[in-house]
Amino acid sequence: MAFLTKLGSVALTIIVICVVSVLPFRAVHAAAGEVITTDTHQFTEVRNQIYLAQSTARVFNSNALVIVNEDDVVLVDSHVTPAKARDLIKSIKAITPNPITALINSHHHWDHAHGNQEFTGIPIIGHDFTYEKLAGAPLEEDTYVSGIAGNKATIERVTAQIAEEKDTAKKAELQAYLEMFREHADGFAEIRPVPPNLTLSERMTLHRDDREIEIIFLGRAHTGGDVVVYFPEDKLVFTGDMAFGGPSFLGDGYVDEWPQTLENLKQLDFDIFVPGHGPPVTDLNRIDLVQTFYRDLWAKAAGMHADGIAAEDAAATIDLTNHAEIPIAEVGTSLISIQRIYERLNDPD
Ligand SMILES: [Zn+2]
């Protein structure tokens, strides 16, 4: 969500987007680590034709994982809107002519699953919990409602910046950004949530040539139904939002159970993981730091809850600055995190 508030570098962003958009398409197999760029996406090969796909548009979006097999493509996560999913589908043609034959949802959050409707006629695989959420009322979920509010706030803020900007060139850049962002925000109106049509409770394996694509539920964490996608041969795992190099969004999280779920993740044999946002992580020690952070956050928040301290006061005063490596520099944390922990304490099921 930090993306939404950092509009100070709009000019730089526009320059970056312009530069990458003139790079030529390449329909060749990239070496690991090589980057292929289309007019909407950047593909980075992480291992053995498994690509991290990231939108180049300066809007909030999630990572997708593109698994290119001999005869097909398996995709993990479908982006934030149908329009962004269509951009992804089109861009995948720049790296392979193979058809997409399966989509995996790492979890139910809108920024990972609201492109699902673009994938008709193929298996959409997810955890039972993800099915329940996406088949329920996903457009009423707090996370989605706050995403819509964030879009509106961005449009208002940039509109105000344009009105105040005196420099003609900067004004034009802001105007171009606003137009791009408005089009993106309008794309939310098209969303018709589609749940997985093939669900699992523990694990499922897709076999493609010599490749095993293991879809595993390791326990509750960022949501009640996160699955990781594990490639044992390539020692790679896609973690979605249940593991980052730092803490995740906790608003739907199970902070009390999360450290154990991460412990279960560590039992897999891998040396790199791709999270649901941002670059791949190779410093696996970060997982230990996050486990320690969650345990401490839970213990301190539970203590404040037991002392009858209101969530607002707890969020303002909780001291987690002992986690300098996370990094936590200031006293306090987000209210939404504390509210969620209090909710779990009041109703631990
Ligand atoms: Zn998420």
Side-chain angles (χ1 to χ4, degrees):
M1 289 299 190
F3 283 85
L4 295 173
T5 57
K6 290 182 180 168
L7 293 173
S9 58
V10 166
L12 176 64
T13 303
I14 290 168
I15 291 164
V16 169
I17 291 170
C18 290
V19 169
V20 296
S21 67
V22 298
L23 293 174
F25 268 52
R26 298 189 50 203
V28 294
H29 174 205
E34 194 172 343
V35 174
I36 299 171
T37 307
T38 71
D39 56 353
T40 60
H41 278 78
Q42 177 174 292
F43 295 90
T44 306
E45 187 177 28
V46 188
R47 296 268 160 90
N48 192 19
Q49 298 211 68
I50 302 167
Y51 296 86
L52 164 60
Q54 295 173 301
S55 168
T56 52
R58 185 70 173 168
V59 297
F60 182 69
N61 204 342
S62 62
N63 289 343
L65 199 72
V66 180
I67 307 150
V68 180
N69 306 306
E70 221 162 88
D71 302 314
D72 73 346
V73 170
V74 175
L75 182 66
V76 187
D77 284 351
S78 65
H79 277 352
V80 66
T81 58
K84 288 291 181 284
R86 290 194 294 271
D87 289 343
L88 176 61
I89 292 166
K90 194 173 159 205
S91 286
I92 287 172
K93 292 182 173 44
I95 55 172
T96 177
N98 294 355
I100 300 167
T101 63
L103 168 66
I104 301 164
N105 285 151
S106 66
H107 64 297
H108 74 275
H109 279 157
W110 58 277
D111 48 323
H112 298 258
H114 281 348
N116 277 10
Q117 71 200 62
E118 296 300 318
F119 299 88
T120 50
I122 63 170
I124 300 178
I125 303 164
H127 192 268
D128 297 328
F129 182 91
T130 301
Y131 174 85
E132 282 169 30
K133 283 291 188 182
L134 287 173
L139 303 187
E140 292 167 25
E141 292 276 330
D142 288 346
T143 44
Y144 184 75
V145 171
S146 62
I148 294 290
N151 285 350
K152 190 163 171 276
T154 297
I155 289 168
E156 287 171 0
R157 188 168 53 246
V158 180
T159 302
Q161 283 175 333
I162 291 168
E164 284 171 22
E165 184 59 64
K166 301 280 183 281
D167 184 291
T168 314
K170 284 183 186 163
K171 205 179 184 79
E173 284 168 4
L174 285 166
Q175 192 65 48
Y177 178 83
L178 182 63
E179 279 169 30
M180 182 280 294
F181 193 88
R182 263 191 212 284
E183 191 183 337
H184 169 65
D186 288 347
F188 283 65
E190 203 190 338
I191 294 171
R192 303 285 179 271
V194 170
N197 53 29
L198 182 58
T199 64
L200 66 140
S201 57
E202 296 294 331
R203 63 191 302 148
M204 179 186 292
T205 304
L206 303 182
H207 297 272
R208 294 292 191 277
D209 317 314
D210 293 335
R211 174 174 278 155
E212 285 183 6
I213 304 169
E214 298 188 10
I215 307 159
I216 313 172
F217 175 68
L218 294 163
R220 299 195 291 189
H222 172 67
T223 70
D226 308 282
V227 292
V228 302
V229 182
Y230 175 49
F231 305 86
E233 291 293 315
D234 295 303
K235 297 196 172 194
L236 162 68
V237 59
F238 180 84
T239 56
D241 290 355
M242 63 82 78
F244 284 100
S248 304
F249 171 73
L250 306 182
D252 287 329
Y254 296 76
V255 178
D256 47 333
E257 298 176 13
W258 206 328
Q260 180 58 51
T261 304
L262 290 173
E263 198 61 33
N264 298 341
L265 172 68
K266 282 157 58 178
Q267 303 312 307
L268 302 177
D269 181 20
F270 65 99
D271 55 28
I272 188 168
F273 72 89
V274 179
H277 301 268
V281 180
T282 52
D283 179 5
L284 303 187
N285 182 50
R286 298 298 305 178
I287 299 172
D288 300 68
L289 293 175
V290 173
Q291 283 178 296
T292 305
F293 173 74
Y294 287 158
R295 286 196 186 99
D296 194 32
L297 167 62
W298 179 266
K300 284 172 177 163
M304 293 170 123
H305 181 264
D307 290 342
I309 297 171
E312 289 75 9
D313 295 334
T317 59
I318 192 167
D319 187 355
L320 298 158
T321 55
N322 50 316
H323 301 276
E325 286 180 281
I326 283 294
I328 304 290
E330 293 173 8
V331 168
T333 194
S334 76
L335 176 58
I336 203 164
S337 300
I338 297 296
Q339 283 172 329
R340 174 61 182 161
I341 291 171
Y342 276 25
E343 190 177 69
R344 291 280 306 139
L345 287 160
N346 293 333
D347 181 12
D349 289 340

